[in-house]
Amino acid sequence: MSTSTTLAIFCKVVDNYGDIGICWRLARQLVREHGVQVTLWVDDLHSFARICPGVDAAAASQRTEGVVVRHWAGQEGTFAPADVADVVIEFFAVDIPPGYVEAMAQCERKPVWLNLEGLSAEEWVEGCHTLPSMHPRLPLTKHFYFPGFTDKTGGLLRERDLLDARTRFQADPAAVSAFLSGLGITATEQAARKVSLFCYRHAPVSALFECWRAGAAEVACFVPEGVASGSVEAFLGGAAKAGAVATRGALTVRVLPFVPQPDYDRLLWACDVNFVRGEDSFVRAQWAARPFVWHIYPQDDNLHHKKLRAFLQRYCPDIASLADLSLWWNGAGVNDNMEEEGWAELWTAFQRDRDVLLSRARDWENRMLEIGDLAENLLRFARSLR
Ligand code: TRH
């Protein structure tokens, strides 16, 4: 495929920021690193604007960082074959507008149609990755494409210059300090054990706060506005607005503004421990090369616990402190009513293993690098189908 390849991504914001976070990252990377002409169709521009302030939430069409962003306002509309991109990606099995699909079928040279799926460490993913699925009525074939952690999957999203930028940043204490100060983080907080905290509402945040408050080491915990608000407000004794801060015992909790995606990366790079969630922040924590704890997106019948275990089995089958803390954090511990001392033990063990965790992060990074990055792998696969 030449550099004039056109590609459309259809993204529905089901919940939170991960859907648009991932699609935006992919779109930007395809433009910047591969010269692809990308149109990103997204139904919720307000969520998009939170992670990318350059986006105008009222515009039907706009160009941002080289990506054409179209507001996907509904399923209506007629399209001509000339409107159809060479490669069409539906994210998380969204229903592309029927008129667009009809136009795809009318194209003389059929577009490549991919369903980009969610990230999972489960083994079945390898068997489904790149499988074709024929349209029941139209002369079109869709292929499943899975991100993942093995060379039988598409790998993880990673910008070409990401790891160099991270390494430079982490090796430059003045840059780290300037960045943190820019977020209002004081010198005292910077000298403490710095923890970023991004999780879902049901995480046992208050129990962890209590463990840190009563602990011997100073902990500074940074929480984005709108996250774990109940526990944060209980700790602060007031509204969890950006800039709010309180110290009790050994713990300082500070509410941060929701920052643009590149700054969120820097926050992860700057912290000693990152609590992350969902899919995109989870992957970014892996590229931060710092110990992290994952809060997985909840699913019915605790299906997510199976997914969590599958990841832990790949990432840290031999590091009990991380596996245990992760399971408890996700409500998958041995019993749900752990006493305070239980959390203290988990946290202490996790801290004691810090060197092991740092070295695991490096080894893991090298393993992931061998797979190549998702954008490049996906493009290569699409090219093989054209
Ligand atoms: O927001 P999420 O909970 O999104 C989730 C997951 O993607 C999940 O798999 C999906 O099924 C569900 O949405 C519908 O968590 P995630 O994936 O980490 O996405 C958060 C995005 O927000 C990520 O791109 C990073 C970005 N972000 C910022 O840009 N600035 C911030 O300050 C923070 C905290 C996050």
Side-chain angles (χ1 to χ4, degrees):
M1 239 178 277
S2 72
T3 50
S4 61
T5 299
T6 57
L7 183 145
I9 303 176
F10 285 86
C11 171
K12 259 204 170 94
V13 177
V14 178
D15 201 4
N16 308 318
Y17 306 100
D19 307 296
I20 186 57
I22 292 162
C23 290
W24 171 233
R25 203 180 281 298
L26 174 65
R28 215 174 10 177
Q29 199 186 341
L30 288 168
V31 168
R32 212 183 270 171
E33 297 177 15
H34 300 280
V36 176
Q37 295 177 45
V38 179
T39 302
L40 173 57
W41 292 84
V42 54
D43 67 336
D44 177 355
L45 291 168
H46 290 279
S47 294
F48 191 3
R50 266 204 104 186
I51 59 166
C52 180
V55 165
D56 176 356
S61 180
Q62 61 197 296
R63 185 180 281 270
T64 309
E65 296 188 39
V67 177
V68 175
V69 175
R70 302 280 306 265
H71 183 215
W72 180 6
Q75 293 300 84
E76 294 76 35
T78 47
F79 295 86
D83 300 324
V84 172
D86 301 332
V87 181
V88 179
I89 298 178
E90 58 177 50
F91 184 68
F92 268 4
V94 295
D95 281 328
I96 293 178
Y100 196 94
V101 177
E102 293 290 343
M104 285 164 72
Q106 287 160 20
C107 289
E108 209 168 294
R109 190 173 183 198
K110 301 287 178 281
V112 172
W113 184 1
L114 303 178
N115 172 12
L116 180 57
E117 281 286 352
L119 175 63
S120 172
E122 292 165 295
E123 268 174 33
W124 62 264
V125 165
E126 292 186 342
C128 295
H129 179 54
T130 70
L131 278 189
S133 160
M134 309 267 278
H135 194 282
R137 187 172 52 84
L138 299 168
L140 290 169
T141 302
K142 170 159 69 180
H143 288 81
F144 293 93
Y145 203 85
F146 282 82
F149 303 102
T150 73
D151 60 6
K152 294 190 182 67
T153 70
L156 303 175
L157 280 175
R158 172 179 44 81
E159 296 80 2
R160 197 176 281 159
D161 57 359
L162 181 74
L163 300 189
D164 283 348
R166 181 209 68 200
T167 304
R168 275 197 308 277
F169 182 81
Q170 289 180 335
D172 184 349
V176 173
S177 180
F179 170 73
L180 293 175
S181 301
L183 292 174
I185 295 168
T186 65
T188 310
E189 290 157 29
Q190 292 182 30
R193 176 123 301 177
K194 297 179 286 302
V195 180
S196 76
L197 181 66
F198 188 38
C199 60
Y200 297 108
R201 192 170 299 155
H202 57 285
V205 172
S206 294
L208 198 59
F209 279 180
E210 179 50 28
C211 152
W212 289 337
R213 186 199 63 75
E218 303 287 322
V219 173
C221 177
F222 311 122
V223 194
E225 196 171 31
V227 171
S229 301
S231 300
V232 173
E233 287 183 353
F235 184 88
L236 296 175
K241 288 257 180 282
V245 61
T247 302
R248 294 179 203 286
L251 173 63
T252 298
V253 173
R254 172 179 288 281
V255 181
L256 295 184
F258 212 85
V259 293
Q261 258 185 347
D263 279 344
Y264 182 65
D265 272 339
R266 285 182 201 104
L267 179 68
L268 298 178
W269 301 346
C271 283
D272 301 301
V273 178
N274 294 304
F275 283 73
V276 287
R277 77 183 197 189
E279 180 166 326
D280 195 48
S281 59
F282 167 52
V283 171
R284 304 315 276 185
Q286 292 167 51
W287 298 133
R290 295 275 157 92
F292 67 91
V293 181
W294 181 30
H295 204 219
I296 187 168
Y297 189 78
Q299 286 179 291
D300 290 342
D301 303 322
N302 283 338
L303 206 69
H304 57 295
H305 286 170
K306 212 167 153 234
K307 287 188 178 172
L308 171 67
R309 288 197 174 88
F311 175 72
L312 295 173
Q313 188 54 37
R314 286 193 195 279
Y315 187 83
C316 57
D318 51 345
I319 312 180
S321 59
L322 174 57
D324 290 348
L325 181 57
S326 305
L327 290 170
W328 282 106
W329 185 239
N330 283 279
V334 200
N335 75 60
D336 277 340
N337 300 313
M338 188 160 53
E339 302 295 330
E340 246 167 61
E341 311 85 70
W343 283 104
E345 273 169 35
L346 285 177
W347 182 248
T348 305
F350 183 70
Q351 291 304 295
R352 205 173 35 227
D353 279 347
R354 184 163 178 80
D355 288 345
V356 179
L357 291 165
L358 284 169
S359 125
R360 175 55 44 86
R362 294 287 175 185
D363 293 348
W364 180 257
E365 178 176 305
N366 289 331
R367 269 166 66 184
M368 294 305 105
L369 284 176
E370 280 170 22
I371 305 169
D373 82 83
L374 181 66
E376 187 163 357
N377 290 339
L378 180 146
L379 208 53
R380 190 179 314 113
F381 177 64
R383 198 175 287 144
S384 75
L385 297 176
R386 281 284 284 183

